[in-house]
Amino acid sequence: MSCIFCDIREKKVPAEIVYEDEDIMAFRDADPRAPVHILIIPKKHILSLSEIDEEDRELIGRICRVAARIARQESIARSGFRLVVNSGPDAGQAVDHLHFHLLGGRSMSWPPG
Ligand code: AMP
């Protein structure tokens, strides 16, 4: 089954990559909802947050650390940022490859719509 984020991981589809290591990749969202809007993905194809299991514990922890590192890189660590995961239809998940939205650079309301 085709997956747009697997294609980005494979560099078959272009993206502005801001971070990459053996297991994790981060690139700018094609339709940014904030001045900084970056998607952080595990390279491994995990369908959604509800599909993670015990063996992914370290990977998810590392993704959070990568998010904090990118926030510093993008100069939004002090002003603040959000790390958002949409999981499933009610949350509006559109791409079935686990991804974390890193959003910042403007003030945000709560709760999200
Ligand atoms: P979600 O609704 O949580 O599944 O978010 C999917 C996100 O992927 C949206 O914010 C899209 O703008 C973004 N997106 C979809 N295709 C691409 C792409 N080719 N490059 C970068 N971002 C993308």
Side-chain angles (χ1 to χ4, degrees):
M1 208 179 75
S2 81
C3 166
I4 185 74
F5 290 173
C6 286
D7 287 346
I8 289 174
R9 176 196 66 211
E10 300 300 321
K11 317 261 167 79
K12 289 178 188 158
V13 166
E16 193 183 336
I17 296 164
V18 297
Y19 177 87
E20 183 171 11
D21 65 29
E22 207 184 326
D23 306 307
I24 297 166
M25 185 182 254
F27 49 88
R28 294 195 194 278
D29 196 291
D31 181 21
R33 301 306 173 103
V36 176
H37 187 172
I38 289 164
L39 301 174
I40 307 169
I41 65 163
K43 286 190 170 176
K44 171 181 161 185
H45 184 93
I46 301 172
L47 273 174
S48 75
L49 196 62
S50 42
E51 300 291 323
I52 59 167
D53 55 36
E54 187 56 30
E55 70 171 28
D56 301 315
R57 177 203 284 254
E58 196 200 328
L59 176 64
I60 301 303
R62 287 190 47 227
I63 286 175
C64 291
R65 291 193 63 208
V66 165
R69 173 181 165 156
I70 296 171
R72 286 194 298 275
Q73 241 171 250
E74 297 284 326
S75 305
I76 55 169
R78 276 166 170 269
S79 51
F81 59 89
R82 252 186 215 165
L83 194 59
V84 174
V85 180
N86 295 321
S87 186
D90 274 0
Q93 182 177 2
V95 177
D96 290 334
H97 181 134
L98 176 61
H99 52 283
F100 292 67
H101 296 256
L102 174 65
L103 297 146
R106 67 166 168 82
S107 136
M108 284 171 253
S109 59
W110 187 263

